[in-house]
Amino acid sequence: MKNTLLNFLILFIALLVAQVVCSKIVLFGVAVPIIYIYLILRLPVNYSINWTLTIAFLFGLFIDMFNNTQGMNSLACTVMAMARRPVFNFFIVMREDEEGDPVPSVDTVGISSYMKYLSTLVFIYCAVLFMAQAFTLHNFPLTLARIVASSALSILLIFGIDSLVSTESEKRL
């Protein structure tokens, strides 16, 4: 438990710093790398929804404070955290004999199921974030391009981070 909490805090700080730096990067005027949501995606599935929503909201709030985005990241993180368990259950079937808290990763659920899980939640996050930022349908093609491009870039980066962070000791579901 102590080791898990320490790993979580180290990952929290590393992703927070990395996201603050990455927030200044905009590729081709539309794609923003969003990597800090990896922490929310990586939370064990059996965590209480209250803890999951609280962690997601607070993590989004930290990003909002550093990026001056008036709660948009908190909103998007909370919506994504709310959709996390239904999306996981839709794409991944857990066995009845599973013990402990399964952590979604390529090693535990397989590459195909993990990519579906990851893609869906990143798209939900980006859609909520960029629709809240635009708050209008005036320039919908640009908003849609930002959603798609940022989702694609974030999925690639998060997949790369997962391959670096995942350990061999994770049990396959």
Side-chain angles (χ1 to χ4, degrees), residues 58-123:
L58 291 175
F59 202 34
L61 190 62
F62 276 111
I63 297 297
D64 284 331
M65 287 190 300
F66 286 110
N67 290 339
N68 195 24
T69 51
Q70 296 91 21
M72 291 179 215
N73 287 295
S74 297
L75 170 70
C77 282
T78 306
V79 170
M80 185 187 72
M82 190 68 185
R84 198 173 74 87
R85 187 176 290 170
V87 169
F88 182 85
N89 290 335
F90 183 75
F91 290 120
I92 297 136
V93 177
M94 290 180 39
R95 291 180 284 179
E96 294 294 325
D97 62 342
E98 283 302 314
E99 299 175 2
D101 295 329
V103 175
S105 71
V106 172
D107 294 335
T108 59
V109 298
I111 193 166
S112 175
S113 297
Y114 184 73
M115 286 305 289
K116 292 174 194 172
Y117 166 78
L118 174 68
S119 301
T120 304
L121 289 177
V122 170
F123 184 79

Side-chain angles (χ1 to χ4, degrees), residues 8-20 35 59:
F8 181 79
L9 288 175
I10 290 170
L11 188 59
F12 173 81
I13 292 168
L15 288 174
L16 182 69
V17 170
Q19 185 60 47
V20 169
I35 58 173
F59 202 34

Side-chain angles (χ1 to χ4, degrees), residues 99-166:
E99 299 175 2
D101 295 329
V103 175
S105 71
V106 172
D107 294 335
T108 59
V109 298
I111 193 166
S112 175
S113 297
Y114 184 73
M115 286 305 289
K116 292 174 194 172
Y117 166 78
L118 174 68
S119 301
T120 304
L121 289 177
V122 170
F123 184 79
I124 288 170
Y125 175 86
C126 289
V128 171
L129 178 69
F130 292 121
M131 291 299 283
Q133 282 180 349
F135 205 66
T136 182
L137 295 178
H138 174 67
N139 199 356
F140 187 71
L142 177 62
T143 303
L144 187 61
R146 291 179 76 194
I147 292 169
V148 171
S150 294
S151 294
L153 180 61
S154 299
I155 289 166
L156 287 173
L157 291 173
I158 290 172
F159 187 74
I161 291 170
D162 187 68
S163 66
L164 294 174
V165 172
S166 294

